[in-house]
Amino acid sequence: MKSIITKDFFERKTTIELARDIIGMRLVHQTSNGKLSGLIVETEAYLGATDMAAHSFQNLRTKRTEVMFESPGTIYMYQMHRQVLLNFITMQKGIPEAILIRAIEPDEESLAQMECHRHGKTGRELTNGLGKLTQALGLSMQDYGKTLFDSNIWIEEAKTPHIIEATNRIGVPNKGIATHYPLRFTAKGSPYISAQRKSSILSRIWE
């Protein structure tokens, strides 16, 4: 039986630890047409009030960001350039930090339905990016505010990559020192990682 990640797992870790440690875990969406899933291969951490790149920088509270102040495991969806992006809140209620899911490696049994959702896209183009993975999984703004622990979206333990790399986040220019934070984590060698910039790479080898 596959082990589902619990709230306790989230509560025991920092945002950075979670962004790193869910690499290789399985993201699952139970839909009316069956279960869609894939291994998480790319994430970014956002550190809330002190992070100029975060939507909640300086504890900004708006209709969109209000959910970021909820409990760990709450799902924060937002739209950018007509794409829907998936985030998980990571810290205790009132501390608006989150993980952005940037790419997944689809499970074999999910491929046919994902390709349908992606209008025939195949291979790495299926889920190697923010909006691509949410479209493939059938996620939408209707999932805003759900949690990973009592909804049709959850995370399961799976395989841990041998090497996880940390680089600068993508698409956060002109954010002062926050532009250079090495808070993007990837499973080295996965073909589903999104477009990479030339930057300093730090590696961690998992036993």
Side-chain angles (χ1 to χ4, degrees), residues 1-7 9-10 18 20-31 34-41 86 88 101 104-107 109-110 137 147-149 151-161:
M1 184 175 179
K2 296 175 181 177
S3 178
I4 296 177
I5 298 304
T6 65
K7 190 173 183 179
F9 178 87
F10 269 62
L18 282 167
R20 178 195 64 200
D21 293 350
I22 66 171
I23 295 292
M25 292 189 176
R26 176 170 285 107
L27 175 61
V28 183
H29 182 207
Q30 179 68 56
T31 76
K35 189 183 295 184
L36 299 175
S37 62
L39 301 181
I40 299 170
V41 295
L86 171 66
F88 304 139
I101 309 302
I104 64 170
E105 188 169 319
D107 288 327
E109 58 270 27
S110 299
L137 286 170
T147 84
L148 293 171
F149 317 120
S151 75
N152 60 335
I153 304 169
W154 66 89
I155 297 175
E156 297 174 350
E157 290 184 358
K159 62 181 183 181
T160 303

Side-chain angles (χ1 to χ4, degrees), residues 39-59:
L39 301 181
I40 299 170
V41 295
E42 182 178 358
T43 65
E44 287 179 347
Y46 286 86
L47 306 181
T50 62
D51 186 346
M52 288 182 67
H55 291 172
S56 53
F57 177 55
Q58 297 182 330
N59 285 319

